[in-house]
Amino acid sequence: MIYTFEQLLVAQVSPELRAALIPLHSLGDVEEVLKVRGLSFGWRRVEVNSAGMQPDFARKLAALPPHEVFIVPQGQGAVIATIVQQRPAPPGAAAAAPPARPKP
């Protein structure tokens, strides 16, 4: 499966911020929380082939409701994302992530 994700990349996620993000169901709502807290973040859209994912992670993605926000920790920060599209992967397909673009 090829997933198209819209993502917010955040350099640091405190336990308090994580708790504030859990009940949110749109990246727009997440963006507002980040702005209110004065946190820097970047937006990006990326396509990823599920064949390159850990099987457990791919199963969790497949079980998400449409457009549900999820958080993937990365070091001190996180990728906060939603699936905006999915389609079957042609044989041998893989996509690279474009660089994040800052958003005020």
Side-chain angles (χ1 to χ4, degrees), residues 6 30 61 73 79 84 87:
E6 192 163 73
V30 171
L61 282 179
V79 173
V84 294
R87 65 184 189 281

Side-chain angles (χ1 to χ4, degrees), residues 18-91:
R18 181 175 295 281
L21 298 178
I22 288 173
L24 303 180
H25 297 286
S26 79
L27 286 184
D29 291 342
V30 171
E31 179 180 20
E32 288 304 313
V33 168
L34 297 175
K35 285 180 177 179
V36 166
R37 293 171 180 249
L39 299 172
S40 297
F41 59 93
W43 276 90
R44 76 176 178 182
R45 187 173 277 235
V46 60
E47 287 189 344
V48 179
N49 188 332
S50 64
M53 296 176 184
Q54 294 290 329
D56 186 49
F57 184 69
R59 279 190 295 275
K60 288 178 182 178
L61 282 179
L64 286 174
H67 304 286
E68 183 66 26
V69 173
F70 61 94
I71 302 170
V72 179
Q74 290 195 338
Q76 298 257 329
V79 173
I80 305 163
T82 187
I83 300 168
V84 294
Q85 182 183 23
Q86 61 187 42
R87 65 184 189 281

